[in-house]
Amino acid sequence: MDSDEYKQKIREKKVINDTWTKGKLVQLAGAFYDQFVSGVVPHVLMPSRTKRNLEYSDTSEVWVYGDIESERSAKTVKGAHQLLKTVYVSDFVVSEHLKNNRGSTLRELYYISEGWGPAKFGAQTESDRLIEDLEIITGAQREFFHIRPEEDGATMYGPIQIREETKRGARDIHCQQDIGEGGYQIPFNVENIEFVKHDASMIIAVETGGMYARLIENGFDEKYNAILVHLKGQPARSTRRIIRRMNTELNIPVAVFTDGDPWSYRIFSSIAYGAIKSAHLSEFMATPDAKFLGVQPSDIVEYELATDKLTEQDIAALRSELTDPRFESKYWKEQINLQLEIGKKAEQQAFAGKGLDFVTDTYLPSRLKDMGIL
Amino acid sequence: MDSDEYKQKIREKKVINDTWTKGKLVQLAGAFYDQFVSGVVPHVLMPSRTKRNLEYSDTSEVWVYGDIESERSAKTVKGAHQLLKTVYVSDFVVSEHLKNNRGSTLRELYYISEGWGPAKFGAQTESDRLIEDLEIITGAQREFFHIRPEEDGATMYGPIQIREETKRGARDIHCQQDIGEGGYQIPFNVENIEFVKHDASMIIAVETGGMYARLIENGFDEKYNAILVHLKGQPARSTRRIIRRMNTELNIPVAVFTDGDPWSYRIFSSIAYGAIKSAHLSEFMATPDAKFLGVQPSDIVEYELATDKLTEQDIAALRSELTDPRFESKYWKEQINLQLEIGKKAEQQAFAGKGLDFVTDTYLPSRLKDMGIL
């Protein structure tokens, strides 16, 4: 685990480059080599990725893995295969991706292993999981291995000028003046982005494309100097990472605007606190400062929004959130209990029932004042 | 049905503007008025939207609705409600959208009807369907009503410079030089786009994000002057429309590159021939010139690609395609029968098993030569 070194670099704003990543992977290979030489069965220790091993970090204010460790070892045939695959992937990343400045998708990586004989993956879930292991072991992020997700595609729109370092050269893009109405397409690796200048006093992360388009059409980004980020449902890593970077590097407050149902509260919590599956990345991707804007269950009552009845799944999800440490605050307990009581949920686009301007003229300014952002 | 007038305008490259659209909607209201005045029960005739009423148009080379008509009439209470809703929606589009240069999503439209008393929609399926009816009746497209879809988000990348007329002014964007690695985000209404100049000799429409990123990384767009369009699975209307516009207005040939399975062949056919559900739009959205590039079942055999077994659903879908008029060619019969015989399917990213450059150095050039595009 080298995340301390990584965090130090981030603090010093030093670039995490291919040389650094290569060093980490070669170091891992070196460790196996040393184990062989000293007659030790090759193995690697890493934090156990279970709910039991999740703990709250007071310093970084996110949920991270604790001290329980699990071992990958060549003691068993299965374990030996696992380490062989780890070495094959490391070699591929170093000698193809980092050396030639190339990349592959997670899916391609699975197919690439076709030619690896006994190190061939049986299914993509296996190679995906190994990449996560490699992230944990090296303290790097898969983006540094030049491993891409299959689909991406979140966009942003607002008063910020960025410089994206692409393979074809640097691109200077102002996210209002230089782009079409669709917005700026966030690339899969946002470490390639430098923030040139901005005039933003808030970031509004928006769940649905419909509301994102509404805020742009109504000029909310101009009137309130807001950077609008379209989450497209459960946000991709790149989306969470760029939100965190703008929040921590530029000190811009973040408000998350979703539908008013338990699944949307999880979208908020993945932005604010991270996800169990990727707790090793929380310190790079979560934004503990992020605040939940709405739709709150209390808004459903106050604004008499058009609603749907909670389904059984909704109710079960709300109950599970009541025992989830990430929702362990007076605010969330009140809101979730209220929602269980009224038995209803509402979408953010339900504000359209009050006219096309209600959400930007009335609801958002009022909520942002409550939250101390306006 | 005014699609002849519309097509004439397209031929003359006249702008379809808000005034034209308003005229169509006012004309519809006028027809109802005249029916009332003359003591006729208000009604409107439109083509029946059934498979039975689909026919191949030799002139436009796409499947369109035939002569069977169905009637919406106030003879029944249900029919009267339907016409009332039609009038409410028309009024909203004219007096809110067109007058103030605004727009709404299909979802918002449903919520907006909250305030319409007896014209309130019971569910969004109902308002979506009514918008389709209005498209058929007026011969316009829902984009002209300023009605947006919920999500969009396809992107393109290649040697073309476009001018997008946004609400904040015109934006001149070169789709290689002025954008990041994510590509140019196609807006929901591509009629707002003007093609300024281009240097393209082909359009490659790509199903998966992984392959789209691969072609960009490998510089395929530069080497072959190719505009790459990411379809993101079943393509949105805006994606199909911009492909058609580039094909017909700029005379650039189109090749569709998907996975090798029956669902992907349907993606191809929706680009080339249109969809049953929206046959009234085929003449604006389909690209009869589009050719299927692959993955072909014969490629699976020839290149020994990594495969999955056909599922029962796959087999049923292939059998259904054998009787689908859109696949009624010697080529498709051979390919589909071959696939049923080998019992396998392959993804486009399976080419990665042959190295990261195989698809761009070997497969695509060879296929494009076969197809007469290279």
Side-chain angles (χ1 to χ4, degrees):
Chain A
M1 291 293 284
D2 289 283
S3 72
D4 285 342
E5 179 189 341
Y6 174 57
K7 275 180 279 175
Q8 187 60 34
K9 277 190 172 259
I10 292 277
R11 269 192 294 272
E12 292 166 7
K13 300 206 177 202
K14 279 192 189 157
V15 177
I16 304 294
N17 57 23
D18 291 351
T19 311
W20 182 86
T21 309
K22 181 183 167 183
K24 292 293 137 196
L25 292 168
V26 169
Q27 192 179 319
L28 174 66
F32 291 143
Y33 182 84
D34 292 343
Q35 291 168 347
F36 273 117
V37 167
S38 7
V40 176
V41 176
H43 66 274
V44 58
L45 282 172
M46 48 191 289
S48 165
R49 296 167 61 191
T50 55
K51 205 167 180 175
R52 197 163 59 97
N53 195 32
L54 266 193
E55 52 184 51
Y56 188 75
S57 157
D58 285 324
T59 48
S60 57
E61 299 178 80
V62 293
W63 291 82
V64 296
Y65 292 126
D67 293 331
I68 306 174
E69 291 199 310
S70 74
E71 195 189 49
R72 303 266 187 278
S73 150
K75 268 178 211 151
T76 63
V77 174
K78 200 181 150 206
H81 264 123
Q82 178 84 349
L83 293 190
L84 183 68
K85 289 170 192 179
T86 308
V87 172
Y88 261 94
V89 169
S90 302
D91 177 53
F92 175 75
V93 167
V94 170
S95 61
E96 276 281 346
H97 283 186
L98 303 181
K99 188 173 160 205
N100 305 322
N101 194 21
R102 308 198 62 175
S104 310
T105 62
L106 287 161
R107 188 84 187 136
E108 285 179 316
L109 179 65
Y110 159 68
Y111 282 119
I112 285 159
S113 81
E114 290 277 310
W116 294 354
K120 178 180 181 307
F121 292 108
Q124 195 193 330
T125 45
E126 207 192 308
S127 46
D128 287 359
R129 170 98 194 182
L130 196 140
I131 289 292
E132 285 172 8
D133 282 358
L134 260 191
E135 287 185 306
I136 298 177
I137 294 166
T138 59
Q141 294 169 43
R142 98 179 161 215
E143 287 78 5
F144 302 162
F145 307 145
H146 302 199
I147 297 280
R148 298 187 277 259
E150 183 52 34
E151 301 287 344
D152 222 3
T155 50
M156 60 186 242
Y157 197 100
I160 185 167
Q161 185 179 338
I162 57 103
R163 179 171 301 137
E164 183 185 329
E165 204 59 60
T166 79
K167 291 218 171 65
R168 314 271 173 99
R171 300 282 184 265
D172 264 65
I173 298 170
H174 188 286
C175 296
Q176 279 167 332
Q177 291 155 21
D178 300 330
I179 54 170
E181 278 185 355
Y184 167 67
Q185 176 84 10
I186 301 169
F188 89 97
N189 184 0
V190 301
E191 308 305 325
N192 293 336
I193 290 177
E194 190 189 320
F195 303 125
V196 179
K197 61 179 186 195
H198 79 92
D199 188 28
S201 46
M202 68 184 84
I203 294 161
I204 311 276
V206 184
E207 179 176 355
T208 66
M211 183 54 75
Y212 172 73
R214 166 66 46 227
L215 298 190
I216 294 174
E217 178 178 306
N218 290 10
F220 190 84
D221 56 307
E222 287 191 323
K223 184 161 179 197
Y224 292 99
N225 293 324
I227 297 171
L228 309 172
V229 180
H230 178 197
L231 298 174
K232 297 210 168 193
Q234 194 67 45
R237 294 162 57 118
S238 52
T239 313
R240 284 179 283 148
R241 177 75 184 131
I242 201 167
I243 290 173
R244 181 190 165 95
R245 282 194 58 202
M246 291 192 289
N247 174 254
T248 56
E249 295 172 31
L250 308 176
N251 286 311
I252 312 175
V254 175
V256 181
F257 186 19
T258 68
D259 288 340
D261 64 50
W263 320 100
S264 296
Y265 309 151
R266 289 185 190 178
I267 290 177
F268 162 70
S269 94
S270 84
I271 292 172
Y273 312 113
I276 294 173
K277 198 175 159 288
S278 55
H280 60 290
L281 299 167
S282 296
E283 288 167 285
F284 314 127
M285 300 207 175
T287 306
D289 263 1
K291 294 201 167 45
F292 184 67
L293 197 157
V295 177
Q296 314 172 99
S298 53
D299 297 330
I300 298 177
V301 178
E302 182 174 351
Y303 296 104
E304 297 177 336
L305 295 177
T307 54
D308 284 308
K309 265 185 70 171
L310 292 178
T311 65
E312 277 180 38
Q313 288 86 346
D314 292 334
I315 293 170
L318 285 169
R319 292 225 172 99
S320 143
E321 282 166 7
L322 280 176
T323 64
D324 185 324
R326 296 173 301 175
F327 292 98
E328 213 173 44
S329 68
K330 186 163 164 278
Y331 169 79
W332 277 111
K333 293 222 177 298
E334 273 176 16
Q335 292 292 336
I336 292 172
N337 280 319
L338 172 62
Q339 186 152 32
L340 285 167
E341 202 177 293
I342 60 177
K344 286 173 182 164
K345 60 184 174 182
E347 294 179 352
Q348 50 183 185
Q349 290 189 78
F351 285 113
K354 313 207 158 294
L356 298 181
D357 296 321
F358 183 84
V359 67
T360 45
D361 284 359
T362 307
Y363 178 72
L364 288 178
S366 149
R367 277 294 293 143
L368 290 165
K369 266 174 211 142
D370 287 352
M371 297 162 78
I373 292 180
L374 257 194
Chain B
M1 290 291 285
D2 289 281
S3 72
D4 286 342
E5 180 189 340
Y6 174 56
K7 274 179 277 175
Q8 186 60 36
K9 277 190 171 261
I10 291 278
R11 269 191 294 272
E12 291 167 7
K13 301 208 176 199
K14 278 195 189 154
V15 178
I16 304 295
N17 57 23
D18 291 351
T19 311
W20 182 86
T21 310
K22 181 183 168 184
K24 292 293 138 196
L25 292 167
V26 169
Q27 192 179 319
L28 174 66
F32 291 143
Y33 182 85
D34 292 344
Q35 290 169 347
F36 273 117
V37 166
S38 7
V40 175
V41 177
H43 65 276
V44 58
L45 282 172
M46 50 192 288
S48 164
R49 297 166 62 189
T50 55
K51 206 166 180 174
R52 198 164 58 98
N53 195 31
L54 266 193
E55 52 185 51
Y56 188 76
S57 158
D58 286 323
T59 48
S60 56
E61 298 178 80
V62 291
W63 291 82
V64 296
Y65 292 126
D67 293 331
I68 306 173
E69 291 199 310
S70 74
E71 194 189 50
R72 304 264 188 278
S73 152
K75 268 179 213 152
T76 64
V77 175
K78 201 181 150 207
H81 265 123
Q82 178 84 348
L83 292 190
L84 183 67
K85 289 171 193 179
T86 308
V87 173
Y88 261 94
V89 169
S90 303
D91 177 53
F92 175 75
V93 167
V94 170
S95 61
E96 277 281 346
H97 282 185
L98 303 181
K99 187 173 160 206
N100 306 322
N101 194 22
R102 310 199 61 175
S104 311
T105 62
L106 287 161
R107 187 85 188 134
E108 285 179 316
L109 178 65
Y110 159 68
Y111 281 119
I112 285 159
S113 80
E114 289 276 311
W116 293 353
K120 177 179 182 306
F121 293 108
Q124 195 194 328
T125 45
E126 208 192 307
S127 47
D128 286 359
R129 171 97 195 185
L130 197 141
I131 289 293
E132 285 172 7
D133 282 358
L134 260 191
E135 287 185 307
I136 298 177
I137 295 166
T138 60
Q141 295 169 43
R142 99 179 162 216
E143 287 77 5
F144 303 162
F145 305 145
H146 301 200
I147 297 279
R148 297 188 277 258
E150 182 52 33
E151 302 287 343
D152 221 2
T155 49
M156 60 187 241
Y157 198 100
I160 185 166
Q161 185 179 340
I162 58 102
R163 178 171 300 137
E164 183 185 330
E165 204 57 62
T166 78
K167 291 220 171 64
R168 314 272 172 98
R171 300 281 183 265
D172 263 65
I173 298 170
H174 188 286
C175 296
Q176 280 166 331
Q177 291 155 22
D178 300 330
I179 54 170
E181 278 186 356
Y184 167 66
Q185 176 84 10
I186 301 169
F188 90 97
N189 184 0
V190 302
E191 307 307 324
N192 294 336
I193 291 177
E194 190 189 320
F195 304 124
V196 179
K197 61 179 185 197
H198 79 91
D199 188 28
S201 47
M202 67 183 85
I203 294 162
I204 312 276
V206 184
E207 178 176 355
T208 66
M211 185 53 75
Y212 172 72
R214 164 67 46 228
L215 297 191
I216 294 174
E217 178 178 306
N218 290 11
F220 191 84
D221 56 307
E222 287 191 322
K223 184 159 179 198
Y224 292 98
N225 293 325
I227 297 172
L228 309 172
V229 180
H230 178 196
L231 298 174
K232 297 211 168 190
Q234 194 66 46
R237 294 161 57 118
S238 52
T239 313
R240 283 179 284 148
R241 178 73 183 133
I242 202 168
I243 290 173
R244 182 191 164 94
R245 283 196 56 204
M246 292 192 290
N247 174 255
T248 55
E249 295 173 32
L250 309 176
N251 285 312
I252 312 175
V254 175
V256 181
F257 185 19
T258 67
D259 288 339
D261 64 50
W263 319 101
S264 296
Y265 310 151
R266 289 187 189 177
I267 289 177
F268 162 70
S269 94
S270 85
I271 292 172
Y273 313 113
I276 294 173
K277 198 174 158 289
S278 55
H280 60 291
L281 300 166
S282 296
E283 287 167 286
F284 315 128
M285 301 208 175
T287 305
D289 263 2
K291 293 199 168 45
F292 183 67
L293 197 156
V295 176
Q296 314 172 100
S298 54
D299 298 328
I300 299 178
V301 178
E302 181 174 351
Y303 297 104
E304 297 178 334
L305 295 178
T307 54
D308 284 308
K309 265 186 70 172
L310 291 178
T311 64
E312 276 179 39
Q313 288 85 348
D314 292 334
I315 293 170
L318 285 169
R319 292 224 172 99
S320 143
E321 282 166 8
L322 280 176
T323 65
D324 186 324
R326 296 174 300 176
F327 293 98
E328 214 173 44
S329 68
K330 186 163 164 278
Y331 169 79
W332 277 111
K333 294 224 177 296
E334 274 176 15
Q335 293 292 335
I336 292 172
N337 280 319
L338 172 62
Q339 184 151 35
L340 285 166
E341 203 177 291
I342 60 176
K344 285 173 181 165
K345 60 184 173 182
E347 294 179 352
Q348 51 183 183
Q349 290 189 78
F351 285 113
K354 314 206 157 292
L356 298 181
D357 296 321
F358 183 83
V359 69
T360 45
D361 283 359
T362 307
Y363 178 72
L364 288 178
S366 148
R367 277 295 293 144
L368 290 165
K369 266 174 213 142
D370 287 351
M371 298 162 77
I373 291 180
L374 257 194

